[in-house]
Amino acid sequence: MATAHKDVCGTLEGKATRFGYSDGLLILGTTDPRVFVLDADLAKSTTSERFKKEFPDRFIDCGIAEANMVGIAAGLSLMGKVPFTSTYGTFMVDRALDQIRVTVAYGELNVKIVGAHGGISVGPDGATHQALEDLGTMRMLPHMTVINPCDVNEARKATLAVAAMQGPVFIRLGRESVPILTDDATPFEIGKGITFEDGDDVTITATGYMVYEALLAHEELKKQGIHARVLNIHTIKPIDRELLVKAARETGAVVTAEEHQVMGGFGSAVAEVLVQDCPVPMEFVGIKDRFGESGTPDELLTAFGCRAANIEQAVKAVLARRKR
Amino acid sequence: MDPMLTIQELKHLATEIRKDTLRSITAAGSGHPGGSLSAADIMTALYFRAANLNSPTDPDRDRIFWSKGHIVPLLYTLLAYKGFFPKEELTTLRKFGSRLQGHPKKDSPPGVETSGGSLGQGLSIAVGAAYAARYDHLPVRSWCLTGDGEIQEGQIWEALMAGAHFKLDNLCAIIDNNGLQIDGKCSDIMCIDDVAAKLRAFNWHVISIDGNDMEQCVNALDEAKTVKGQPTAIVAHTIKGKGVSFMENVVGWHGKAPSQDELTQAIRELDAQECE
């Protein structure tokens, strides 16, 4: 069980996961000469600019042309390179979906697609720039691996791990600073969830930033005598069936938490597993079939129901259903 | 390395390739003969003379991307004639369990460089391959076949921008300019004339040819290999359905399989042209 998060849990000090991406790229720049980085005029925002400064001959700014960027990355990969493409998640996934589907996923190309600015916490830019469907859209594509790191360290590890594997990958990043929950000792293996807190009363399974909110909920519930198991599911596809089923079997009730549409997203992914292998009462925390809006990240996380309080409420609801 | 074929030998080969392409489409009961026939001459010239392509796995082979993926029956026939897979398999086109999918699937069979069929994507891939080849100082050229209907897709123009911006002189786009698309004449549906002028405005070296004249095809492809500092676009003015009288310039033959009788007639005509 990982315990690194306990040192920082409850503080708001942290770093945005997008910096973990470029931390990883800077390592790869030295260790893996196959790695190329492509951006679409948002290198500063995605932080891929840090790679550009160190390895300018392996950085391609494609301009504001996401579909073309994915195609160029495909061509690079066919020549043995390992291209990472990054821009805002909305543009990365939605503008270039056809290219990602037909060229990259169907062709099983070794292209790493990175969508920054995922989630409602993007803030004042509003609905157009808040990726709320990226994980769901990407996880529907055959051959695609989908990863949503919970903190800057996990984002770095994910970046390194996907470069070492063959095949198409989507990684989601966030814009805002988030608490650091893991350290170098925390394991990271694609497809393997991590148990952050043990408990047998209920399971809270969370992804991305919501892992932090799940830990806050865990602390609060503990005071009330409810011992929640907290799972960090960084890989949404392939999802860790074994860990999820074991948790469902041992706790009998599951709450999912994501900064994303529940419909088709992480909650759906977990439900698809449990309904087959271990049906238990479930509640879903996340965005409920609506677009975002402008506001501060704090205001929006609260307004859109992505808080520890929402998780607590869901835990109580799911426990009430289990008793019936 | 294949011995260099003469113009006469290439013409003969293009006729045989047309015949086997049509046979495969008739066997399938569906497919796209019109564009397969319009592009047959220049793609025969590319695969059997201009491009460096002796093995589908040679890392230094030229990369040829078929952006207009629907004319994949022609691609399969070319690859079979290259010896990359058995010719007998051509008649499995579009059948369940066949490697010969209705639109290109990467490596299926060997020599299909990328998946495609949703139009507009191939030139971007060709840009990426050319970029990597230049970075690695490889003698690899990147070729892309597109069509005058297909270039209505915006992504093509993104790729044209990028190819010129990166000064990729190992990149060549071939535009099969047959003037027709599914719904009618390109000039009626969404006119993009003058294509050559637009390509020049995007800083490409442009060569306009009769794309059904083998000598012009060979010369244009050779010229593309000599251009420095910018990519080349060959605007190949072709006739959709070329070589079969009842298919030539007929919109309806974009995506319809010839019946057995029509196939017999088509092959008779193609053979007759051989004797001329």
Coordinates of all heavy atoms in Angstrom, one line a residue, chain B residues 33-85:
Chain B
P33 N -13.7 1.3 -58.9 CA -12.9 1.2 -60.1 C -12.5 2.5 -60.7 O -11.4 2.6 -61.3 CB -13.9 0.4 -61.0 CG -15.3 0.7 -60.5 CD -15.1 0.9 -59.1
G34 N -13.3 3.5 -60.6 CA -13.1 4.8 -61.4 C -11.7 5.4 -61.1 O -10.9 5.6 -61.9
G35 N -11.5 5.6 -59.8 CA -10.2 6.2 -59.3 C -9.0 5.2 -59.5 O -7.9 5.6 -59.7
S36 N -9.3 3.9 -59.3 CA -8.3 2.9 -59.5 C -7.7 3.0 -60.9 O -6.5 2.9 -61.1 CB -8.8 1.5 -59.2 OG -9.2 1.4 -57.8
L37 N -8.6 3.2 -61.8 CA -8.2 3.2 -63.2 C -7.5 4.6 -63.6 O -6.5 4.6 -64.3 CB -9.3 3.0 -64.2 CG -10.0 1.6 -64.1 CD1 -11.2 1.5 -65.0 CD2 -8.9 0.5 -64.4
S38 N -8.0 5.7 -63.0 CA -7.4 7.0 -63.3 C -6.0 7.1 -62.8 O -5.1 7.6 -63.5 CB -8.2 8.1 -62.8 OG -8.3 8.1 -61.4
A39 N -5.7 6.5 -61.6 CA -4.4 6.6 -61.0 C -3.4 5.5 -61.4 O -2.3 5.5 -61.0 CB -4.5 6.7 -59.5
A40 N -3.9 4.5 -62.2 CA -3.1 3.3 -62.5 C -1.8 3.6 -63.2 O -0.8 3.0 -62.9 CB -3.9 2.3 -63.3
D41 N -1.7 4.6 -64.1 CA -0.5 4.8 -64.8 C 0.6 5.4 -63.9 O 1.7 4.9 -63.8 CB -0.8 5.7 -66.0 CG -1.7 5.1 -67.0 OD1 -1.4 3.9 -67.4 OD2 -2.8 5.6 -67.3
I42 N 0.2 6.5 -63.2 CA 1.3 7.1 -62.4 C 1.7 6.3 -61.2 O 2.9 6.3 -60.9 CB 0.9 8.6 -62.0 CG1 2.1 9.3 -61.5 CG2 -0.2 8.6 -60.9 CD1 2.0 10.8 -61.5
M43 N 0.8 5.5 -60.7 CA 1.2 4.7 -59.6 C 2.0 3.5 -60.0 O 2.9 3.0 -59.3 CB 0.0 4.2 -58.7 CG -0.8 5.4 -58.1 SD 0.3 6.6 -57.3 CE 0.6 5.9 -55.7
T44 N 1.7 3.0 -61.2 CA 2.6 1.9 -61.8 C 4.0 2.5 -62.0 O 5.0 1.8 -61.7 CB 2.0 1.4 -63.1 OG1 0.7 0.8 -62.8 CG2 2.9 0.3 -63.7
A45 N 4.1 3.7 -62.5 CA 5.4 4.3 -62.8 C 6.1 4.5 -61.4 O 7.3 4.3 -61.3 CB 5.2 5.7 -63.5
L46 N 5.4 4.9 -60.4 CA 6.0 5.1 -59.1 C 6.5 3.8 -58.5 O 7.6 3.7 -58.1 CB 5.0 5.7 -58.2 CG 5.5 6.1 -56.7 CD1 6.7 7.0 -56.8 CD2 4.3 6.7 -55.9
Y47 N 5.6 2.8 -58.5 CA 6.0 1.5 -57.8 C 7.0 0.7 -58.6 O 7.8 0.0 -58.0 CB 4.8 0.6 -57.6 CG 4.0 1.0 -56.3 CD1 3.2 2.1 -56.2 CD2 4.2 0.2 -55.1 CE1 2.6 2.4 -55.0 CE2 3.6 0.5 -54.0 CZ 2.7 1.6 -53.9 OH 2.1 2.0 -52.7
F48 N 7.0 0.9 -59.9 CA 7.9 0.0 -60.7 C 9.1 0.8 -61.4 O 9.9 0.2 -62.1 CB 7.1 -0.8 -61.8 CG 6.3 -1.9 -61.1 CD1 5.0 -1.6 -60.7 CD2 6.9 -3.1 -60.9 CE1 4.3 -2.6 -60.0 CE2 6.1 -4.1 -60.2 CZ 4.8 -3.8 -59.8
R49 N 9.2 2.0 -61.1 CA 10.4 2.7 -61.7 C 10.9 3.8 -60.7 O 12.1 3.8 -60.4 CB 10.0 3.3 -63.0 CG 11.2 4.0 -63.6 CD 11.4 3.9 -65.1 NE 12.0 5.1 -65.6 CZ 12.4 5.2 -66.8 NH1 12.1 4.3 -67.7 NH2 13.0 6.3 -67.2
A50 N 10.0 4.7 -60.3 CA 10.5 5.9 -59.6 C 10.9 5.7 -58.2 O 12.0 6.2 -57.7 CB 9.5 7.1 -59.7
A51 N 10.1 4.9 -57.5 CA 10.3 4.7 -56.0 C 11.4 3.6 -55.7 O 11.5 2.7 -56.5 CB 9.0 4.4 -55.3
N52 N 12.1 3.8 -54.7 CA 13.0 2.8 -54.2 C 12.2 1.9 -53.3 O 12.0 2.2 -52.1 CB 14.2 3.4 -53.4 CG 15.1 2.4 -52.8 OD1 15.2 1.3 -53.3 ND2 15.7 2.7 -51.7
L53 N 11.7 0.7 -53.8 CA 10.9 -0.1 -53.0 C 11.1 -1.6 -53.5 O 10.4 -2.0 -54.4 CB 9.4 0.3 -53.3 CG 8.3 -0.5 -52.5 CD1 8.5 -0.5 -51.0 CD2 6.9 0.0 -52.9
N54 N 12.0 -2.2 -52.8 CA 12.2 -3.6 -53.1 C 11.7 -4.6 -52.1 O 11.5 -5.8 -52.4 CB 13.7 -3.9 -53.3 CG 14.3 -3.0 -54.4 OD1 13.8 -3.0 -55.5 ND2 15.3 -2.2 -54.0
S55 N 11.4 -4.1 -50.9 CA 10.9 -4.9 -49.9 C 10.0 -4.1 -49.0 O 10.3 -2.9 -48.7 CB 12.0 -5.5 -49.1 OG 11.6 -5.8 -47.7
P56 N 8.9 -4.7 -48.5 CA 8.0 -3.9 -47.7 C 8.6 -3.6 -46.2 O 8.0 -2.9 -45.4 CB 6.7 -4.7 -47.6 CG 7.1 -6.1 -47.9 CD 8.3 -6.0 -48.8
T57 N 9.7 -4.3 -46.0 CA 10.3 -4.1 -44.6 C 11.6 -3.4 -44.6 O 12.2 -3.2 -43.5 CB 10.4 -5.5 -43.9 OG1 11.2 -6.4 -44.8 CG2 9.1 -6.2 -43.6
D58 N 12.1 -3.1 -45.8 CA 13.4 -2.4 -45.9 C 13.3 -1.0 -45.2 O 12.5 -0.2 -45.6 CB 13.8 -2.3 -47.3 CG 15.1 -1.4 -47.5 OD1 15.7 -1.1 -46.5 OD2 15.4 -1.1 -48.7
P59 N 14.1 -0.8 -44.1 CA 13.9 0.5 -43.5 C 14.2 1.7 -44.4 O 13.8 2.8 -44.1 CB 14.9 0.4 -42.3 CG 15.8 -0.8 -42.5 CD 15.1 -1.7 -43.5
D60 N 15.0 1.5 -45.4 CA 15.4 2.6 -46.3 C 14.5 2.7 -47.5 O 14.8 3.4 -48.5 CB 16.8 2.4 -46.7 CG 17.8 2.8 -45.6 OD1 17.3 3.4 -44.6 OD2 19.0 2.5 -45.8
R61 N 13.4 1.9 -47.5 CA 12.5 2.0 -48.7 C 11.8 3.3 -48.7 O 11.6 4.0 -47.7 CB 11.4 0.9 -48.6 CG 10.4 1.2 -47.5 CD 9.5 0.0 -47.3 NE 8.4 0.2 -46.3 CZ 8.6 0.2 -44.9 NH1 9.9 -0.1 -44.5 NH2 7.7 0.4 -44.1
D62 N 11.4 3.8 -49.9 CA 10.5 4.9 -50.0 C 9.2 4.6 -49.4 O 8.7 3.4 -49.4 CB 10.3 5.3 -51.5 CG 11.5 6.1 -52.1 OD1 12.5 6.2 -51.3 OD2 11.4 6.5 -53.2
R63 N 8.6 5.6 -48.8 CA 7.3 5.4 -48.2 C 6.2 6.0 -49.1 O 6.3 7.1 -49.5 CB 7.2 6.1 -46.8 CG 8.2 5.6 -45.7 CD 8.2 4.1 -45.6 NE 8.8 3.7 -44.3 CZ 10.2 3.5 -44.1 NH1 11.0 3.6 -45.1 NH2 10.6 3.1 -42.9
I64 N 5.2 5.2 -49.4 CA 4.1 5.6 -50.3 C 2.8 5.6 -49.5 O 2.4 4.5 -49.1 CB 4.1 4.8 -51.6 CG1 5.4 4.8 -52.3 CG2 3.0 5.3 -52.5 CD1 5.5 3.8 -53.5
F65 N 2.2 6.7 -49.3 CA 1.0 6.8 -48.5 C -0.2 7.0 -49.5 O -0.2 8.0 -50.3 CB 1.1 7.9 -47.5 CG 2.2 7.7 -46.5 CD1 3.4 8.4 -46.6 CD2 2.1 6.7 -45.5 CE1 4.5 8.1 -45.7 CE2 3.2 6.4 -44.6 CZ 4.3 7.2 -44.8
W66 N -1.2 6.2 -49.3 CA -2.4 6.3 -50.1 C -3.5 7.1 -49.4 O -4.3 6.5 -48.6 CB -2.9 5.0 -50.6 CG -2.0 4.3 -51.6 CD1 -0.7 4.1 -51.4 CD2 -2.4 3.9 -52.9 NE1 -0.2 3.5 -52.6 CE2 -1.2 3.4 -53.5 CE3 -3.5 3.9 -53.6 CZ2 -1.2 2.9 -54.8 CZ3 -3.5 3.4 -54.9 CH2 -2.3 2.9 -55.5
S67 N -3.5 8.4 -49.6 CA -4.5 9.2 -48.8 C -5.9 8.9 -49.3 O -6.9 8.8 -48.6 CB -4.2 10.7 -48.9 OG -4.8 11.4 -47.9
K68 N -6.0 8.8 -50.7 CA -7.4 8.4 -51.2 C -7.5 6.9 -51.1 O -7.3 6.2 -52.1 CB -7.6 9.0 -52.6 CG -6.6 8.7 -53.7 CD -6.9 9.4 -55.0 CE -8.2 8.8 -55.7 NZ -8.5 9.3 -57.0
G69 N -7.8 6.5 -49.9 CA -7.7 5.1 -49.6 C -8.7 4.2 -50.3 O -8.6 3.0 -50.4
H70 N -9.8 4.8 -50.8 CA -10.9 4.0 -51.4 C -10.4 3.3 -52.7 O -11.0 2.3 -53.1 CB -12.1 4.8 -51.7 CG -11.8 6.1 -52.5 ND1 -11.4 7.2 -51.9 CD2 -12.0 6.4 -53.8 CE1 -11.2 8.2 -52.8 NE2 -11.6 7.7 -54.0
I71 N -9.3 3.8 -53.3 CA -8.8 3.1 -54.5 C -7.8 2.0 -54.1 O -6.9 1.7 -54.9 CB -8.3 4.0 -55.6 CG1 -7.1 4.8 -55.2 CG2 -9.5 5.0 -56.0 CD1 -6.4 5.5 -56.4
V72 N -7.9 1.5 -53.0 CA -7.0 0.4 -52.5 C -7.0 -0.8 -53.4 O -6.0 -1.5 -53.4 CB -7.4 0.1 -51.0 CG1 -8.7 -0.7 -50.9 CG2 -6.3 -0.6 -50.3
P73 N -8.0 -1.1 -54.2 CA -7.9 -2.3 -55.1 C -6.6 -2.1 -56.0 O -5.9 -3.1 -56.3 CB -9.2 -2.3 -55.9 CG -10.2 -1.7 -55.0 CD -9.4 -0.6 -54.2
L74 N -6.4 -0.9 -56.4 CA -5.2 -0.6 -57.2 C -3.9 -0.9 -56.4 O -3.0 -1.5 -56.9 CB -5.2 0.8 -57.8 CG -4.0 1.3 -58.5 CD1 -3.7 0.4 -59.8 CD2 -4.1 2.7 -58.9
L75 N -3.9 -0.4 -55.2 CA -2.8 -0.6 -54.3 C -2.5 -2.1 -54.1 O -1.3 -2.6 -54.2 CB -3.0 0.0 -52.9 CG -2.0 -0.3 -51.8 CD1 -0.6 0.1 -52.2 CD2 -2.4 0.5 -50.5
Y76 N -3.5 -2.9 -53.8 CA -3.3 -4.3 -53.6 C -2.7 -5.0 -54.9 O -1.8 -5.8 -54.8 CB -4.6 -5.0 -53.3 CG -5.3 -4.6 -52.0 CD1 -6.7 -4.5 -51.8 CD2 -4.5 -4.2 -50.8 CE1 -7.2 -4.1 -50.6 CE2 -5.1 -3.9 -49.6 CZ -6.4 -3.8 -49.5 OH -7.0 -3.4 -48.3
T77 N -3.2 -4.6 -56.0 CA -2.7 -5.2 -57.3 C -1.3 -4.8 -57.5 O -0.4 -5.7 -57.8 CB -3.6 -4.7 -58.5 OG1 -4.9 -4.9 -58.2 CG2 -3.2 -5.5 -59.7
L78 N -0.9 -3.6 -57.2 CA 0.5 -3.2 -57.3 C 1.4 -4.0 -56.4 O 2.5 -4.4 -56.8 CB 0.6 -1.7 -57.0 CG 0.1 -0.7 -58.1 CD1 -0.1 0.7 -57.6 CD2 1.0 -0.7 -59.3
L79 N 0.9 -4.1 -55.2 CA 1.7 -4.9 -54.2 C 1.9 -6.3 -54.6 O 2.9 -6.9 -54.4 CB 1.1 -4.7 -52.8 CG 1.1 -3.3 -52.2 CD1 0.4 -3.3 -50.8 CD2 2.5 -2.7 -52.1
A80 N 0.8 -6.9 -55.1 CA 0.9 -8.3 -55.6 C 1.9 -8.4 -56.7 O 2.7 -9.3 -56.7 CB -0.5 -8.8 -56.0
Y81 N 1.8 -7.5 -57.6 CA 2.8 -7.5 -58.8 C 4.2 -7.2 -58.3 O 5.1 -7.7 -58.9 CB 2.4 -6.5 -59.8 CG 1.4 -7.0 -60.8 CD1 0.0 -7.3 -60.5 CD2 1.8 -7.4 -62.1 CE1 -0.9 -7.8 -61.4 CE2 0.9 -7.9 -63.0 CZ -0.4 -8.1 -62.7 OH -1.4 -8.6 -63.6
K82 N 4.3 -6.5 -57.2 CA 5.7 -6.3 -56.6 C 6.2 -7.6 -56.0 O 7.3 -7.7 -55.6 CB 5.7 -5.2 -55.5 CG 5.5 -3.8 -56.0 CD 6.7 -3.3 -56.8 CE 7.9 -2.9 -56.0 NZ 8.9 -2.2 -56.9
G83 N 5.3 -8.6 -55.8 CA 5.7 -9.8 -55.1 C 5.6 -9.8 -53.6 O 6.1 -10.7 -53.0
F84 N 4.9 -8.8 -53.1 CA 4.8 -8.7 -51.6 C 3.8 -9.7 -51.0 O 3.8 -9.9 -49.8 CB 4.5 -7.3 -51.2 CG 5.6 -6.3 -51.5 CD1 5.3 -4.9 -51.3 CD2 6.8 -6.7 -52.0 CE1 6.3 -4.0 -51.7 CE2 7.8 -5.8 -52.3 CZ 7.6 -4.4 -52.1
F85 N 2.9 -10.2 -51.9 CA 1.9 -11.2 -51.4 C 1.4 -11.9 -52.7 O 1.5 -11.4 -53.8 CB 0.8 -10.6 -50.5 CG -0.2 -9.8 -51.2 CD1 -1.5 -10.4 -51.5 CD2 0.0 -8.5 -51.6 CE1 -2.5 -9.7 -52.2 CE2 -1.0 -7.8 -52.3 CZ -2.2 -8.4 -52.6

